[in-house]
Amino acid sequence: MSPLIRSCKAGQVNIGIMGGTFDPIHIGHLVSAEGARQRFALDYVVFVPAGLPPHKEMSKVSAPEHRYLMTTLAVMSNPAFFVSRLEVDRDEPSYTIDTVRHFSRQEAAGANLYFITGVDAIIDILTWKDYAELLELCDFIAVTRLGYSLKRLEEAQKKMPGIMNKVHLLEIPALAISSTYIRERVATGKTIKYLTPEPVEQYIEKQRLYTAG
Ligand code: NAP
């Protein structure tokens, strides 16, 4: 039995589901997950690398298996962090509602669920599949960089009053780092040391990810 199911059976637990493409995972993601864990008293954070992101051109994203392995390498040293293959093993686009339904009905039944991701993704939540059900099943932790303009989130609030009872903002200075920034640095031969855990850096080098040719 997974530690997640075991602890859900044992009593009330709070679980974070960390959704992202993680191409690649970096220190900003890890600091965000740890910040959310502490602020919302989460017992576990499960990283769920997106399989086929519904809104992205797949040819521009690294293979799901690479992103899954890099995420696994990145979270290895934190006993409260896990990685799920749920979305990488799906053949269809990975909609968040399917993932959250899975955790709420099976792997984490009875737990309080928090879906954690970047505010730029959450800002479009009203376009996500079955968003009303999603907002019933879990809370959202929207991680932001310092000084982020929340204008679009305020617009969503006008369309759906009460949404901010379910969306919690968490400012993370380390999010100045982004996956795009890391990919660009690799492509131009610049160091990515300390921007991502060392095993991830080594994986990127060995697999020759993000190089131009
Ligand atoms: P994205 O559009 O690539 O990212 C938007 C911004 O958020 C970027 O600045 C990104 O930085 C940041 N970000 C993404 N995940 C993050 C995380 N876990 N922690 C902190 N910052 C994060 O977003 P995405 O990765 O494709 O999607 C994020 C999640 O939302 C995924 O789980 C995806 O499946 C879900 N989503 C679901 C639907 C749907 O169900 N219809 C639609 C859209 C997104 P980095 O590039 O540095 O990560």
Side-chain angles (χ1 to χ4, degrees):
M1 194 190 290
S2 84
L4 227 56
I5 297 178
R6 203 166 39 236
S7 58
C8 289
K9 282 188 190 295
Q12 196 57 63
V13 290
N14 299 323
I15 291 180
I17 303 170
M18 178 79 169
T21 308
F22 303 133
D23 192 22
I25 189 159
H26 53 69
I27 295 296
H29 296 130
L30 296 168
V31 174
S32 300
E34 182 62 9
R37 188 190 67 74
Q38 189 161 53
R39 163 95 176 271
F40 295 90
L42 306 178
D43 297 279
Y44 297 108
V45 177
V46 186
F47 287 67
V48 184
L52 306 171
H55 54 302
K56 281 193 177 160
E57 212 182 300
M58 209 39 209
S59 60
K60 295 198 175 142
V61 180
S62 302
E65 204 60 36
H66 280 318
R67 294 182 287 105
Y68 169 78
L69 287 173
M70 288 191 282
T71 307
T72 303
L73 290 170
V75 307
M76 247 173 357
S77 60
N78 189 329
F81 287 0
F82 292 86
V83 187
S84 167
R85 290 195 61 92
L86 187 67
E87 293 196 7
V88 297
D89 285 343
R90 249 186 228 143
D91 293 330
E92 325 87 66
S94 33
Y95 291 107
T96 298
I97 185 67
D98 300 324
T99 300
V100 171
R101 275 186 194 134
H102 167 86
F103 280 98
S104 74
R105 291 175 187 169
Q106 297 176 44
E107 220 168 328
N112 297 320
L113 297 179
Y114 293 80
F115 189 83
I116 312 162
T117 197
V119 69
D120 283 329
I122 288 184
I123 237 154
D124 292 322
I125 197 162
L126 297 185
T127 66
W128 290 18
K129 187 180 168 209
D130 296 342
Y131 70 85
E133 183 186 344
L134 203 47
L135 287 161
E136 274 173 29
L137 291 179
C138 66
D139 279 41
F140 281 79
I141 300 173
V143 292
T144 74
R145 337 193 146 78
L146 289 177
Y148 185 85
S149 160
L150 298 169
K151 216 162 166 241
R152 286 184 62 213
L153 206 53
E154 283 160 17
E155 282 163 20
Q157 195 176 2
K158 276 186 215 144
K159 284 190 202 144
M160 194 171 167
I163 195 172
M164 290 314 283
N165 298 332
K166 298 290 278 183
V167 179
H168 314 280
L169 297 173
L170 184 63
E171 210 168 57
I172 301 287
L175 270 184
I177 301 168
S178 72
S179 300
T180 308
Y181 177 64
I182 292 184
R183 290 195 303 271
E184 283 170 3
R185 286 187 71 88
V186 175
T188 51
K190 294 190 182 120
T191 175
I192 56 166
K193 206 169 256 313
Y194 310 124
L195 297 175
T196 187
E198 199 169 344
V200 177
E201 183 197 339
Q202 288 168 351
Y203 185 94
I204 290 170
E205 195 180 332
K206 189 167 180 189
Q207 298 292 332
R208 297 181 197 281
L209 301 182
Y210 316 125
T211 50

